[in-house]
Amino acid sequence: MDFSSKLLENAVYEMSQLPGIGKRTALRLVLHLLKQPNERTKGLTTALSNLREGIKLCENCHNISDVQLCELCASSKRDRSLICVVEDIRDVMAIENTSQYNGLYHVLGGKISPMEGVGPQELTIGSLVKKAKSGEIKELIFALSSTMEGDTTNFYIYKQLEGLDINTSTIARGIAVGDELEYADEVTLGRSILNRIPFEGSLKAN
Amino acid sequence: MDFSSKLLENAVYEMSQLPGIGKRTALRLVLHLLKQPNERTKGLTTALSNLREGIKLCENCHNISDVQLCELCASSKRDRSLICVVEDIRDVMAIENTSQYNGLYHVLGGKISPMEGVGPQELTIGSLVKKAKSGEIKELIFALSSTMEGDTTNFYIYKQLEGLDINTSTIARGIAVGDELEYADEVTLGRSILNRIPFEGSLKAN
């Protein structure tokens, strides 16, 4: 693309560094900001700067937080003996949206992935193991994505907990509620048959 | 969505005000910035602020420019008697990319659209008519999108130029080069037959 303005070119370049934003989309977004009142751009840039400078991670669960201890960890209503291990803060938000979980979380910050140069040291596994050794935790729920990296990470943590009196579980995989069996992939359908649950148990969930 | 951080919520809100960016995408973009080094965010916010504060419109063609007169208008190699009327700076970039045009441009900044509250006063039509009356222009090429609003705008400008010795033309509409006839819409195919050109003329274009 041939820009008539260096300032514009620079703004489009920076915008196109965001994931999933190509040059054309970046140009559209930047031109949109130019058409809007000045305050729009100012609002966006201020919000991003404030976030980048002011953001903290909860010292207990590593969730994003404005204070040292996040709302969930600070709450007296949550079950502190139950920890759900997730990859990312988006997973915390997704599970919180279900209103079905009353324990705490532990945000790993990613999965072990040698291909991308992410080892256990890059994640918050150390602090999770330390928490586990303090004796406060009764159950650890693995809720990582079911990929090779997710499984590896689960297993790595599982090995680190050997000898401790902690139950481990993973979230159930199966056919989504409302989905048709004929369109499900075989692996998922297979697992949902292997891991079937008593019919009386399924009634309680609703 | 339930955010654990006000700073995060605010950044996601501002990001989701951009066109085509929903809440989920905004969250993904903001979390991406958080994972990147500080400089990434700083680069983006600085580029946007600089653009918003430093941007100028070329006083002749209203194209975005860093200086008073844009490169195209300042160039001595362009044909100043030929003006291509476009909606937006993206159209200028698109036409420049073809390397087939050697005249100047006039960026209207939009189309007349009573539905969206855009009248002739909101556009740069006044300055175009003034330019036309100065006697410098021999031909005006309308290159607006072929919608109701585009046609209205073309016609409005055409009426303003009545009595002046200026040729007006519109860019050719037809089947795109390389496209199959059977998949073309009828209006386009119909126009491309009505507005057929001499075969010898079509040879020159290549």
PDB file of all heavy atoms in Angstrom, chain B residues 59-92:
ATOM      1  N   GLU B  59      -5.002  20.815   1.146  1.00  0.00           N
ATOM      2  CA  GLU B  59      -5.942  21.931   0.952  1.00  0.00           C
ATOM      3  C   GLU B  59      -6.515  21.952  -0.462  1.00  0.00           C
ATOM      4  O   GLU B  59      -7.519  22.589  -0.708  1.00  0.00           O
ATOM      5  CB  GLU B  59      -5.275  23.262   1.274  1.00  0.00           C
ATOM      6  CG  GLU B  59      -4.032  23.518   0.445  1.00  0.00           C
ATOM      7  CD  GLU B  59      -3.369  24.855   0.783  1.00  0.00           C
ATOM      8  OE1 GLU B  59      -3.711  25.435   1.826  1.00  0.00           O
ATOM      9  OE2 GLU B  59      -2.525  25.282  -0.012  1.00  0.00           O
ATOM     10  N   ASN B  60      -5.907  21.188  -1.369  1.00  0.00           N
ATOM     11  CA  ASN B  60      -6.421  21.162  -2.736  1.00  0.00           C
ATOM     12  C   ASN B  60      -7.384  19.991  -2.956  1.00  0.00           C
ATOM     13  O   ASN B  60      -8.503  20.178  -3.416  1.00  0.00           O
ATOM     14  CB  ASN B  60      -5.268  21.074  -3.731  1.00  0.00           C
ATOM     15  CG  ASN B  60      -5.741  21.196  -5.161  1.00  0.00           C
ATOM     16  OD1 ASN B  60      -6.549  22.070  -5.473  1.00  0.00           O
ATOM     17  ND2 ASN B  60      -5.251  20.320  -6.016  1.00  0.00           N
ATOM     18  N   CYS B  61      -6.970  18.766  -2.577  1.00  0.00           N
ATOM     19  CA  CYS B  61      -7.786  17.595  -2.920  1.00  0.00           C
ATOM     20  C   CYS B  61      -8.421  16.933  -1.695  1.00  0.00           C
ATOM     21  O   CYS B  61      -9.172  15.975  -1.823  1.00  0.00           O
ATOM     22  CB  CYS B  61      -6.944  16.580  -3.690  1.00  0.00           C
ATOM     23  SG  CYS B  61      -5.747  15.708  -2.678  1.00  0.00           S
ATOM     24  N   HIS B  62      -8.089  17.407  -0.471  1.00  0.00           N
ATOM     25  CA  HIS B  62      -8.657  16.867   0.769  1.00  0.00           C
ATOM     26  C   HIS B  62      -8.227  15.437   1.057  1.00  0.00           C
ATOM     27  O   HIS B  62      -8.864  14.743   1.836  1.00  0.00           O
ATOM     28  CB  HIS B  62     -10.192  16.982   0.775  1.00  0.00           C
ATOM     29  CG  HIS B  62     -10.664  18.365   0.521  1.00  0.00           C
ATOM     30  ND1 HIS B  62     -10.735  19.306   1.512  1.00  0.00           N
ATOM     31  CD2 HIS B  62     -11.038  18.996  -0.621  1.00  0.00           C
ATOM     32  CE1 HIS B  62     -11.152  20.450   0.996  1.00  0.00           C
ATOM     33  NE2 HIS B  62     -11.345  20.299  -0.302  1.00  0.00           N
ATOM     34  N   ASN B  63      -7.172  14.990   0.409  1.00  0.00           N
ATOM     35  CA  ASN B  63      -6.564  13.708   0.736  1.00  0.00           C
ATOM     36  C   ASN B  63      -5.821  13.861   2.065  1.00  0.00           C
ATOM     37  O   ASN B  63      -5.409  14.948   2.436  1.00  0.00           O
ATOM     38  CB  ASN B  63      -5.556  13.347  -0.377  1.00  0.00           C
ATOM     39  CG  ASN B  63      -5.047  11.929  -0.276  1.00  0.00           C
ATOM     40  OD1 ASN B  63      -5.505  11.167   0.571  1.00  0.00           O
ATOM     41  ND2 ASN B  63      -4.118  11.573  -1.141  1.00  0.00           N
ATOM     42  N   ILE B  64      -5.671  12.759   2.801  1.00  0.00           N
ATOM     43  CA  ILE B  64      -4.909  12.823   4.047  1.00  0.00           C
ATOM     44  C   ILE B  64      -3.441  13.067   3.723  1.00  0.00           C
ATOM     45  O   ILE B  64      -2.892  12.464   2.799  1.00  0.00           O
ATOM     46  CB  ILE B  64      -5.082  11.521   4.849  1.00  0.00           C
ATOM     47  CG1 ILE B  64      -6.467  11.507   5.482  1.00  0.00           C
ATOM     48  CG2 ILE B  64      -4.014  11.381   5.912  1.00  0.00           C
ATOM     49  CD1 ILE B  64      -6.777  10.245   6.229  1.00  0.00           C
ATOM     50  N   SER B  65      -2.819  13.943   4.477  1.00  0.00           N
ATOM     51  CA  SER B  65      -1.459  14.359   4.152  1.00  0.00           C
ATOM     52  C   SER B  65      -0.760  14.848   5.413  1.00  0.00           C
ATOM     53  O   SER B  65      -1.393  15.231   6.376  1.00  0.00           O
ATOM     54  CB  SER B  65      -1.544  15.477   3.112  1.00  0.00           C
ATOM     55  OG  SER B  65      -0.304  16.090   2.956  1.00  0.00           O
ATOM     56  N   ASP B  66       0.559  14.802   5.414  1.00  0.00           N
ATOM     57  CA  ASP B  66       1.287  15.355   6.561  1.00  0.00           C
ATOM     58  C   ASP B  66       1.614  16.829   6.350  1.00  0.00           C
ATOM     59  O   ASP B  66       2.011  17.514   7.276  1.00  0.00           O
ATOM     60  CB  ASP B  66       2.597  14.584   6.795  1.00  0.00           C
ATOM     61  CG  ASP B  66       2.335  13.150   7.201  1.00  0.00           C
ATOM     62  OD1 ASP B  66       1.200  12.859   7.596  1.00  0.00           O
ATOM     63  OD2 ASP B  66       3.264  12.330   7.119  1.00  0.00           O
ATOM     64  N   VAL B  67       1.443  17.284   5.102  1.00  0.00           N
ATOM     65  CA  VAL B  67       1.768  18.674   4.782  1.00  0.00           C
ATOM     66  C   VAL B  67       0.551  19.354   4.140  1.00  0.00           C
ATOM     67  O   VAL B  67      -0.454  18.709   3.868  1.00  0.00           O
ATOM     68  CB  VAL B  67       2.983  18.754   3.826  1.00  0.00           C
ATOM     69  CG1 VAL B  67       4.272  18.526   4.581  1.00  0.00           C
ATOM     70  CG2 VAL B  67       2.843  17.746   2.705  1.00  0.00           C
ATOM     71  N   GLN B  68       0.658  20.665   3.896  1.00  0.00           N
ATOM     72  CA  GLN B  68      -0.508  21.405   3.404  1.00  0.00           C
ATOM     73  C   GLN B  68      -0.980  20.948   2.035  1.00  0.00           C
ATOM     74  O   GLN B  68      -2.178  20.907   1.765  1.00  0.00           O
ATOM     75  CB  GLN B  68      -0.173  22.898   3.354  1.00  0.00           C
ATOM     76  CG  GLN B  68      -0.495  23.621   4.663  1.00  0.00           C
ATOM     77  CD  GLN B  68      -0.587  25.103   4.426  1.00  0.00           C
ATOM     78  OE1 GLN B  68       0.244  25.677   3.733  1.00  0.00           O
ATOM     79  NE2 GLN B  68      -1.594  25.734   5.005  1.00  0.00           N
ATOM     80  N   LEU B  69       0.002  20.653   1.170  1.00  0.00           N
ATOM     81  CA  LEU B  69      -0.339  20.204  -0.181  1.00  0.00           C
ATOM     82  C   LEU B  69       0.197  18.790  -0.334  1.00  0.00           C
ATOM     83  O   LEU B  69       1.397  18.564  -0.159  1.00  0.00           O
ATOM     84  CB  LEU B  69       0.323  21.151  -1.209  1.00  0.00           C
ATOM     85  CG  LEU B  69      -0.369  21.281  -2.565  1.00  0.00           C
ATOM     86  CD1 LEU B  69      -1.759  21.879  -2.401  1.00  0.00           C
ATOM     87  CD2 LEU B  69       0.476  22.154  -3.487  1.00  0.00           C
ATOM     88  N   CYS B  70      -0.697  17.819  -0.658  1.00  0.00           N
ATOM     89  CA  CYS B  70      -0.245  16.432  -0.676  1.00  0.00           C
ATOM     90  C   CYS B  70       0.712  16.181  -1.840  1.00  0.00           C
ATOM     91  O   CYS B  70       0.789  16.970  -2.782  1.00  0.00           O
ATOM     92  CB  CYS B  70      -1.430  15.477  -0.734  1.00  0.00           C
ATOM     93  SG  CYS B  70      -2.154  15.305  -2.362  1.00  0.00           S
ATOM     94  N   GLU B  71       1.442  15.077  -1.768  1.00  0.00           N
ATOM     95  CA  GLU B  71       2.434  14.710  -2.780  1.00  0.00           C
ATOM     96  C   GLU B  71       1.876  14.773  -4.201  1.00  0.00           C
ATOM     97  O   GLU B  71       2.535  15.239  -5.117  1.00  0.00           O
ATOM     98  CB  GLU B  71       2.892  13.266  -2.547  1.00  0.00           C
ATOM     99  CG  GLU B  71       4.249  13.135  -1.883  1.00  0.00           C
ATOM    100  CD  GLU B  71       4.580  11.681  -1.658  1.00  0.00           C
ATOM    101  OE1 GLU B  71       4.582  10.912  -2.646  1.00  0.00           O
ATOM    102  OE2 GLU B  71       4.797  11.308  -0.490  1.00  0.00           O
ATOM    103  N   LEU B  72       0.646  14.249  -4.355  1.00  0.00           N
ATOM    104  CA  LEU B  72       0.053  14.170  -5.688  1.00  0.00           C
ATOM    105  C   LEU B  72      -0.202  15.568  -6.232  1.00  0.00           C
ATOM    106  O   LEU B  72       0.139  15.872  -7.370  1.00  0.00           O
ATOM    107  CB  LEU B  72      -1.247  13.360  -5.634  1.00  0.00           C
ATOM    108  CG  LEU B  72      -1.090  11.905  -5.199  1.00  0.00           C
ATOM    109  CD1 LEU B  72      -2.449  11.258  -4.991  1.00  0.00           C
ATOM    110  CD2 LEU B  72      -0.288  11.132  -6.243  1.00  0.00           C
ATOM    111  N   CYS B  73      -0.808  16.420  -5.400  1.00  0.00           N
ATOM    112  CA  CYS B  73      -1.137  17.774  -5.852  1.00  0.00           C
ATOM    113  C   CYS B  73       0.124  18.600  -6.066  1.00  0.00           C
ATOM    114  O   CYS B  73       0.144  19.522  -6.879  1.00  0.00           O
ATOM    115  CB  CYS B  73      -2.045  18.460  -4.835  1.00  0.00           C
ATOM    116  SG  CYS B  73      -3.710  17.774  -4.802  1.00  0.00           S
ATOM    117  N   ALA B  74       1.193  18.291  -5.315  1.00  0.00           N
ATOM    118  CA  ALA B  74       2.434  19.062  -5.417  1.00  0.00           C
ATOM    119  C   ALA B  74       3.270  18.621  -6.614  1.00  0.00           C
ATOM    120  O   ALA B  74       4.140  19.360  -7.069  1.00  0.00           O
ATOM    121  CB  ALA B  74       3.239  18.922  -4.137  1.00  0.00           C
ATOM    122  N   SER B  75       2.969  17.426  -7.140  1.00  0.00           N
ATOM    123  CA  SER B  75       3.798  16.878  -8.214  1.00  0.00           C
ATOM    124  C   SER B  75       3.590  17.629  -9.527  1.00  0.00           C
ATOM    125  O   SER B  75       2.473  17.983  -9.900  1.00  0.00           O
ATOM    126  CB  SER B  75       3.445  15.398  -8.405  1.00  0.00           C
ATOM    127  OG  SER B  75       3.929  14.949  -9.647  1.00  0.00           O
ATOM    128  N   SER B  76       4.685  17.869 -10.236  1.00  0.00           N
ATOM    129  CA  SER B  76       4.587  18.575 -11.517  1.00  0.00           C
ATOM    130  C   SER B  76       4.311  17.600 -12.654  1.00  0.00           C
ATOM    131  O   SER B  76       4.104  17.991 -13.795  1.00  0.00           O
ATOM    132  CB  SER B  76       5.884  19.342 -11.788  1.00  0.00           C
ATOM    133  OG  SER B  76       6.951  18.413 -11.835  1.00  0.00           O
ATOM    134  N   LYS B  77       4.348  16.291 -12.339  1.00  0.00           N
ATOM    135  CA  LYS B  77       4.176  15.279 -13.384  1.00  0.00           C
ATOM    136  C   LYS B  77       2.713  14.904 -13.630  1.00  0.00           C
ATOM    137  O   LYS B  77       2.413  14.159 -14.552  1.00  0.00           O
ATOM    138  CB  LYS B  77       4.958  14.014 -13.010  1.00  0.00           C
ATOM    139  CG  LYS B  77       6.462  14.196 -13.123  1.00  0.00           C
ATOM    140  CD  LYS B  77       7.182  12.926 -12.741  1.00  0.00           C
ATOM    141  CE  LYS B  77       8.693  13.156 -12.731  1.00  0.00           C
ATOM    142  NZ  LYS B  77       9.364  12.236 -11.804  1.00  0.00           N
ATOM    143  N   ARG B  78       1.822  15.369 -12.751  1.00  0.00           N
ATOM    144  CA  ARG B  78       0.421  14.969 -12.879  1.00  0.00           C
ATOM    145  C   ARG B  78      -0.342  15.978 -13.744  1.00  0.00           C
ATOM    146  O   ARG B  78      -0.067  17.177 -13.727  1.00  0.00           O
ATOM    147  CB  ARG B  78      -0.258  14.879 -11.497  1.00  0.00           C
ATOM    148  CG  ARG B  78       0.522  14.161 -10.414  1.00  0.00           C
ATOM    149  CD  ARG B  78       0.507  12.666 -10.526  1.00  0.00           C
ATOM    150  NE  ARG B  78      -0.801  12.059 -10.450  1.00  0.00           N
ATOM    151  CZ  ARG B  78      -0.991  10.803 -10.036  1.00  0.00           C
ATOM    152  NH1 ARG B  78       0.045  10.054  -9.637  1.00  0.00           N
ATOM    153  NH2 ARG B  78      -2.185  10.283 -10.027  1.00  0.00           N
ATOM    154  N   ASP B  79      -1.343  15.462 -14.427  1.00  0.00           N
ATOM    155  CA  ASP B  79      -2.186  16.282 -15.297  1.00  0.00           C
ATOM    156  C   ASP B  79      -3.215  17.023 -14.430  1.00  0.00           C
ATOM    157  O   ASP B  79      -4.166  16.442 -13.919  1.00  0.00           O
ATOM    158  CB  ASP B  79      -2.905  15.360 -16.288  1.00  0.00           C
ATOM    159  CG  ASP B  79      -3.760  16.140 -17.272  1.00  0.00           C
ATOM    160  OD1 ASP B  79      -3.908  17.363 -17.071  1.00  0.00           O
ATOM    161  OD2 ASP B  79      -4.276  15.528 -18.213  1.00  0.00           O
ATOM    162  N   ARG B  80      -3.050  18.333 -14.289  1.00  0.00           N
ATOM    163  CA  ARG B  80      -3.889  19.112 -13.379  1.00  0.00           C
ATOM    164  C   ARG B  80      -5.262  19.417 -13.963  1.00  0.00           C
ATOM    165  O   ARG B  80      -6.126  19.981 -13.288  1.00  0.00           O
ATOM    166  CB  ARG B  80      -3.192  20.418 -13.010  1.00  0.00           C
ATOM    167  CG  ARG B  80      -1.734  20.230 -12.593  1.00  0.00           C
ATOM    168  CD  ARG B  80      -1.113  21.504 -12.073  1.00  0.00           C
ATOM    169  NE  ARG B  80      -1.595  21.805 -10.738  1.00  0.00           N
ATOM    170  CZ  ARG B  80      -1.130  21.213  -9.639  1.00  0.00           C
ATOM    171  NH1 ARG B  80      -0.182  20.307  -9.708  1.00  0.00           N
ATOM    172  NH2 ARG B  80      -1.619  21.518  -8.468  1.00  0.00           N
ATOM    173  N   SER B  81      -5.488  19.083 -15.241  1.00  0.00           N
ATOM    174  CA  SER B  81      -6.779  19.405 -15.847  1.00  0.00           C
ATOM    175  C   SER B  81      -7.764  18.237 -15.700  1.00  0.00           C
ATOM    176  O   SER B  81      -8.897  18.315 -16.139  1.00  0.00           O
ATOM    177  CB  SER B  81      -6.582  19.733 -17.329  1.00  0.00           C
ATOM    178  OG  SER B  81      -6.196  18.559 -18.021  1.00  0.00           O
ATOM    179  N   LEU B  82      -7.283  17.141 -15.096  1.00  0.00           N
ATOM    180  CA  LEU B  82      -8.090  15.933 -14.966  1.00  0.00           C
ATOM    181  C   LEU B  82      -8.297  15.661 -13.474  1.00  0.00           C
ATOM    182  O   LEU B  82      -7.328  15.556 -12.724  1.00  0.00           O
ATOM    183  CB  LEU B  82      -7.309  14.790 -15.614  1.00  0.00           C
ATOM    184  CG  LEU B  82      -7.994  13.461 -15.892  1.00  0.00           C
ATOM    185  CD1 LEU B  82      -9.176  13.675 -16.810  1.00  0.00           C
ATOM    186  CD2 LEU B  82      -6.989  12.505 -16.538  1.00  0.00           C
ATOM    187  N   ILE B  83      -9.577  15.589 -13.051  1.00  0.00           N
ATOM    188  CA  ILE B  83      -9.843  15.374 -11.625  1.00  0.00           C
ATOM    189  C   ILE B  83     -10.720  14.134 -11.455  1.00  0.00           C
ATOM    190  O   ILE B  83     -11.770  14.022 -12.095  1.00  0.00           O
ATOM    191  CB  ILE B  83     -10.588  16.567 -10.999  1.00  0.00           C
ATOM    192  CG1 ILE B  83      -9.820  17.865 -11.187  1.00  0.00           C
ATOM    193  CG2 ILE B  83     -10.886  16.300  -9.519  1.00  0.00           C
ATOM    194  CD1 ILE B  83      -8.777  18.131 -10.160  1.00  0.00           C
ATOM    195  N   CYS B  84     -10.273  13.214 -10.609  1.00  0.00           N
ATOM    196  CA  CYS B  84     -11.076  12.031 -10.313  1.00  0.00           C
ATOM    197  C   CYS B  84     -11.748  12.231  -8.962  1.00  0.00           C
ATOM    198  O   CYS B  84     -11.075  12.417  -7.944  1.00  0.00           O
ATOM    199  CB  CYS B  84     -10.167  10.802 -10.283  1.00  0.00           C
ATOM    200  SG  CYS B  84     -11.064   9.286  -9.990  1.00  0.00           S
ATOM    201  N   VAL B  85     -13.080  12.217  -8.936  1.00  0.00           N
ATOM    202  CA  VAL B  85     -13.837  12.469  -7.713  1.00  0.00           C
ATOM    203  C   VAL B  85     -14.069  11.148  -6.985  1.00  0.00           C
ATOM    204  O   VAL B  85     -14.703  10.242  -7.532  1.00  0.00           O
ATOM    205  CB  VAL B  85     -15.197  13.126  -8.029  1.00  0.00           C
ATOM    206  CG1 VAL B  85     -15.976  13.398  -6.751  1.00  0.00           C
ATOM    207  CG2 VAL B  85     -14.986  14.413  -8.813  1.00  0.00           C
ATOM    208  N   VAL B  86     -13.530  11.017  -5.779  1.00  0.00           N
ATOM    209  CA  VAL B  86     -13.700   9.781  -5.013  1.00  0.00           C
ATOM    210  C   VAL B  86     -14.296  10.091  -3.641  1.00  0.00           C
ATOM    211  O   VAL B  86     -14.343  11.245  -3.213  1.00  0.00           O
ATOM    212  CB  VAL B  86     -12.369   9.029  -4.832  1.00  0.00           C
ATOM    213  CG1 VAL B  86     -11.834   8.513  -6.148  1.00  0.00           C
ATOM    214  CG2 VAL B  86     -11.356   9.898  -4.135  1.00  0.00           C
ATOM    215  N   GLU B  87     -14.721   9.019  -2.982  1.00  0.00           N
ATOM    216  CA  GLU B  87     -15.417   9.163  -1.718  1.00  0.00           C
ATOM    217  C   GLU B  87     -14.415   9.331  -0.586  1.00  0.00           C
ATOM    218  O   GLU B  87     -14.638  10.070   0.366  1.00  0.00           O
ATOM    219  CB  GLU B  87     -16.189   7.849  -1.522  1.00  0.00           C
ATOM    220  CG  GLU B  87     -17.355   7.920  -0.611  1.00  0.00           C
ATOM    221  CD  GLU B  87     -17.956   6.535  -0.462  1.00  0.00           C
ATOM    222  OE1 GLU B  87     -18.164   5.863  -1.495  1.00  0.00           O
ATOM    223  OE2 GLU B  87     -18.205   6.139   0.674  1.00  0.00           O
ATOM    224  N   ASP B  88     -13.305   8.621  -0.679  1.00  0.00           N
ATOM    225  CA  ASP B  88     -12.531   8.274   0.498  1.00  0.00           C
ATOM    226  C   ASP B  88     -11.068   8.136   0.106  1.00  0.00           C
ATOM    227  O   ASP B  88     -10.757   7.841  -1.041  1.00  0.00           O
ATOM    228  CB  ASP B  88     -13.092   6.899   0.920  1.00  0.00           C
ATOM    229  CG  ASP B  88     -12.704   6.488   2.297  1.00  0.00           C
ATOM    230  OD1 ASP B  88     -13.426   6.831   3.258  1.00  0.00           O
ATOM    231  OD2 ASP B  88     -11.668   5.831   2.388  1.00  0.00           O
ATOM    232  N   ILE B  89     -10.165   8.290   1.052  1.00  0.00           N
ATOM    233  CA  ILE B  89      -8.740   8.180   0.724  1.00  0.00           C
ATOM    234  C   ILE B  89      -8.367   6.759   0.291  1.00  0.00           C
ATOM    235  O   ILE B  89      -7.424   6.558  -0.455  1.00  0.00           O
ATOM    236  CB  ILE B  89      -7.838   8.643   1.895  1.00  0.00           C
ATOM    237  CG1 ILE B  89      -6.856   7.562   2.327  1.00  0.00           C
ATOM    238  CG2 ILE B  89      -8.605   9.095   3.108  1.00  0.00           C
ATOM    239  CD1 ILE B  89      -5.722   8.086   3.095  1.00  0.00           C
ATOM    240  N   ARG B  90      -9.154   5.758   0.726  1.00  0.00           N
ATOM    241  CA  ARG B  90      -8.862   4.385   0.296  1.00  0.00           C
ATOM    242  C   ARG B  90      -9.030   4.228  -1.205  1.00  0.00           C
ATOM    243  O   ARG B  90      -8.347   3.433  -1.855  1.00  0.00           O
ATOM    244  CB  ARG B  90      -9.783   3.403   1.020  1.00  0.00           C
ATOM    245  CG  ARG B  90      -9.247   3.024   2.379  1.00  0.00           C
ATOM    246  CD  ARG B  90     -10.203   2.114   3.088  1.00  0.00           C
ATOM    247  NE  ARG B  90     -11.384   2.846   3.513  1.00  0.00           N
ATOM    248  CZ  ARG B  90     -12.408   2.280   4.156  1.00  0.00           C
ATOM    249  NH1 ARG B  90     -12.404   0.984   4.378  1.00  0.00           N
ATOM    250  NH2 ARG B  90     -13.430   3.004   4.548  1.00  0.00           N
ATOM    251  N   ASP B  91      -9.974   5.000  -1.772  1.00  0.00           N
ATOM    252  CA  ASP B  91     -10.191   4.938  -3.212  1.00  0.00           C
ATOM    253  C   ASP B  91      -8.996   5.523  -3.954  1.00  0.00           C
ATOM    254  O   ASP B  91      -8.594   5.024  -5.000  1.00  0.00           O
ATOM    255  CB  ASP B  91     -11.471   5.701  -3.574  1.00  0.00           C
ATOM    256  CG  ASP B  91     -12.670   5.160  -2.818  1.00  0.00           C
ATOM    257  OD1 ASP B  91     -12.712   3.934  -2.595  1.00  0.00           O
ATOM    258  OD2 ASP B  91     -13.547   5.951  -2.430  1.00  0.00           O
ATOM    259  N   VAL B  92      -8.428   6.602  -3.381  1.00  0.00           N
ATOM    260  CA  VAL B  92      -7.219   7.190  -3.972  1.00  0.00           C
ATOM    261  C   VAL B  92      -6.121   6.131  -4.014  1.00  0.00           C
ATOM    262  O   VAL B  92      -5.477   5.909  -5.048  1.00  0.00           O
ATOM    263  CB  VAL B  92      -6.741   8.413  -3.151  1.00  0.00           C
ATOM    264  CG1 VAL B  92      -5.405   8.925  -3.703  1.00  0.00           C
ATOM    265  CG2 VAL B  92      -7.779   9.522  -3.160  1.00  0.00           C
TER     266      VAL B  92
END
